[in-house]
């Protein structure tokens, strides 16, 4: 006896049991079939076969046997419900309605935004990034000051959020994780920090007041904008397949120079459509060279080290991936929608 043969016997018995039970059209023949498909002697013969297997294969055979038992239990339960129902129905003078839709069995699945985050993390892990996390309730210092936002700078207008008292607020981005990580780990380092950000934004087709974000940070001696561009282009190609990318100058207080990266519009392939407002491009992230004063705030010698960082919105990226017209679909938790994308 080998484990392969054992598995085959179990599969054969499953099939035989299905045939025997589906042939039972009344309760008496069901009772008879029930005894024959899972009789003592059937069980004994399986444990005897199991005993003939080499010791190393027995745990696996045990699992096969348990799976067989569970399968037969399920068949029996299904069949006995059938007889109970049909008996009840005939007692009530009605016949059994076989056209009634079966009850659906719901399976849990990952949310599309989680799927996208997992995929992004996997791509960056492959090239040496590790995952870091930070708190959602953050201090003003980590969220703003350490990130080189001068007090009352207009850049903060886009970062209005809920203040929780005693200098705490709901973080407006995942960038504070840059500082927290650098305080705890000496460079060289490469991290990816997925998390949630919060802003006083309207809940509209492209904004959510609580949104997923992924931060990336690399700090080393001599790392440059070349590495930033190469890494992010590599990411875009891995995630979207062959695509053109472009970098546009931008502004963030914590990076200098700063750039936003666009990929070719997924919907029109770069020709220009309503989704990309006729430009043929879609923005997927903000990035730049870490500002020396951010490195200094985190206690890193900015004469010796350079760094680059980026921040992207996995929900926006999920919209591109699945061709969604409205970000609210991803945050409304409507199972009718989610079930179409779930894996
Ligand atoms: N934190 C920026 C935002 O939320 C994104 C970003 C991260 C930009 C890192 C540059 C570098 O808009």
């Amino acid at each position: 006896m080998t484990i392969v043969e054992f598995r085959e016997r179990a599969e054969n018995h499953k099939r035989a049991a299905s045939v025997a039970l589906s042939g039972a059209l009344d309760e008496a023949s069901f009772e008879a079939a029930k005894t024959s498909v899972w009789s003592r002697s059937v069980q004994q013969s399986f444990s005897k076969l199991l005993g003939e297997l080499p010791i190393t294969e027995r745990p696996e055979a045990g699992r096969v046997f348990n799976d067989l038992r569970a399968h037969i239990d399920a068949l029996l339960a299904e069949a006995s419900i059938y007889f109970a129902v049909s008996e009840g129905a005939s007692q009530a003078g009605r016949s059994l309605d076989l056209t009634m839709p079966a009850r659906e069995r719901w399976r849990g699945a990952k949310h599309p935004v989680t799927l996208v985050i997992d995929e992004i993390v996997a791509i960056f892990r492959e090239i040496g990034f590790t995952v870091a996390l930070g708190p959602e309730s953050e201090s003003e210092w980590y969220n703003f000051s350490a990130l080189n936002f001068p007090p009352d700078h207009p850049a903060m207008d886009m970062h209005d959020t809920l203040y929780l008292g005693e200098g705490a607020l709901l973080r407006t981005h995942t960038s504070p994780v840059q500082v927290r990580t650098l305080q705890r780990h000496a460079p060289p380092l490469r991290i990816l920090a997925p998390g949630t950000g919060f802003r006083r934004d309207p809940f509209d087709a492209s904004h959510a007041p609580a949104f997923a974000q992924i931060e990336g940070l690399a700090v080393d001696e001599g790392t440059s904008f070349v590495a930033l561009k190469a890494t992010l282009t590599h990411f875009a190609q891995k995630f979207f397949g062959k695509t053109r990318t472009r970098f546009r100058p931008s502004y963030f207080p914590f990076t200098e120079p700063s750039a936003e990266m666009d990929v070719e519009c997924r919907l029109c392939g770069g020709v220009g459509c309503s989704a990309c407002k006729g430009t043929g491009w879609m923005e997927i992230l903000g990035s730049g060279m870490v500002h020396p004063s951010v490195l200094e705030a985190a206690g890193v010698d900015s004469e010796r080290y350079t760094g680059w960082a980026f921040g992207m919105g996995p929900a926006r990226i999920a919209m591109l991936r699945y061709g969604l017209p409205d970000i609210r679909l991803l945050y409304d938790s409507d199972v009718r929608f989610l079930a179409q994308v779930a894996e």
Side-chain angles (χ1 to χ4, degrees):
M1 178 62 31
T2 66
I3 183 74
V4 176
E5 287 166 339
F6 187 84
R7 218 179 264 129
E8 222 170 78
R9 295 269 185 118
E11 284 308 313
N12 286 341
H13 193 67
K14 279 186 193 173
R15 272 193 292 275
S18 294
V19 173
L21 288 169
S22 55
L25 295 176
D26 55 52
E27 210 161 352
S29 48
F30 167 64
E31 286 304 327
K34 190 168 151 184
T35 342
S36 76
V37 298
W38 205 232
S39 64
R40 231 203 156 89
S41 72
V42 168
Q43 299 184 39
Q44 273 165 356
S45 71
F46 272 102
S47 43
K48 191 158 156 282
L49 293 175
L50 197 145
E52 291 169 17
L53 288 170
I55 267 220
T56 50
E57 293 190 329
R58 284 188 206 162
E60 175 57 21
R63 277 191 285 277
V64 172
F65 180 77
N66 286 336
D67 171 64
L68 171 63
R69 185 210 311 272
H71 184 83
I72 291 194
D73 277 349
L75 286 178
L76 292 176
E78 217 171 279
S80 42
I81 288 171
Y82 176 87
F83 285 112
V85 170
S86 58
E87 197 186 326
S90 57
Q91 270 170 13
R94 281 178 278 118
S95 57
L96 180 65
D97 179 8
L98 292 173
T99 64
M100 199 167 112
R103 261 193 217 156
E104 202 171 333
R105 243 177 249 175
W106 286 95
R107 236 173 357 105
K110 285 194 176 173
H111 190 278
V113 174
T114 307
L115 291 173
V116 165
I117 294 172
D118 287 353
E119 196 175 327
I120 295 173
V121 169
I123 292 172
F124 280 95
R125 263 191 202 286
E126 234 171 43
I127 51 174
F129 283 71
T130 42
V131 169
L133 300 174
E136 292 176 356
S137 157
E138 193 46 286
S139 71
E140 286 184 61
W141 189 80
Y142 280 109
N143 198 79
F144 295 123
S145 319
L147 290 171
N148 196 40
F149 282 79
D152 301 321
H153 190 274
M156 284 168 70
D157 291 354
M158 279 158 30
H159 288 250
D160 197 8
T161 184
L162 279 177
Y163 285 74
L164 306 172
E166 292 169 27
L169 48 80
L170 288 179
R171 69 177 174 194
T172 60
H173 49 177
T174 42
S175 300
V177 185
Q178 292 186 31
V179 182
R180 288 183 174 273
T181 308
L182 287 170
Q183 282 178 326
R184 276 197 283 155
H185 302 280
L189 56 79
R190 275 173 292 203
I191 56 130
L192 211 61
T196 306
F198 306 83
R199 286 187 202 180
R200 189 178 168 279
D201 274 347
F203 200 18
D204 65 20
S206 52
H207 296 84
F211 54 91
Q213 200 172 54
I214 300 183
E215 192 80 9
L217 170 72
V219 177
D220 202 346
E221 283 180 69
T223 190
S224 72
F225 204 87
V226 175
L228 177 157
K229 260 187 106 165
T231 307
L232 293 178
T233 305
H234 164 80
F235 158 71
Q237 306 268 351
K238 275 256 168 178
F239 187 89
F240 292 109
K242 219 170 136 40
T243 181
R244 286 187 302 152
T245 52
R246 72 173 183 185
F247 287 78
R248 277 176 297 105
S250 183
Y251 172 79
F252 302 100
F254 36 93
T255 47
E256 179 60 34
S258 307
E260 273 164 345
M261 182 170 90
D262 297 343
V263 294
E264 245 169 345
C265 174
R266 314 309 306 155
L267 296 174
C268 64
V271 189
C273 66
S274 64
C276 59
K277 301 194 182 87
T279 64
W281 295 97
M282 287 191 165
E283 180 203 323
I284 65 161
L285 57 83
S287 65
M289 296 304 294
V290 177
H291 197 290
S293 64
V294 174
L295 295 174
E296 294 294 334
V300 174
D301 180 355
S302 65
E303 292 292 328
R304 178 165 170 204
Y305 291 106
T306 49
W308 42 271
F310 54 90
M312 56 180 129
R316 295 240 174 122
I317 294 177
M319 288 171 74
L320 298 182
R321 150 83 32 112
Y322 300 111
L324 308 178
D326 194 314
I327 206 165
R328 285 171 289 198
L329 285 167
L330 291 168
Y331 291 116
D332 275 350
S333 304
D334 185 335
V335 174
R336 289 170 303 178
F337 159 70
L338 295 173
Q340 295 176 45
V341 215
E343 273 173 25

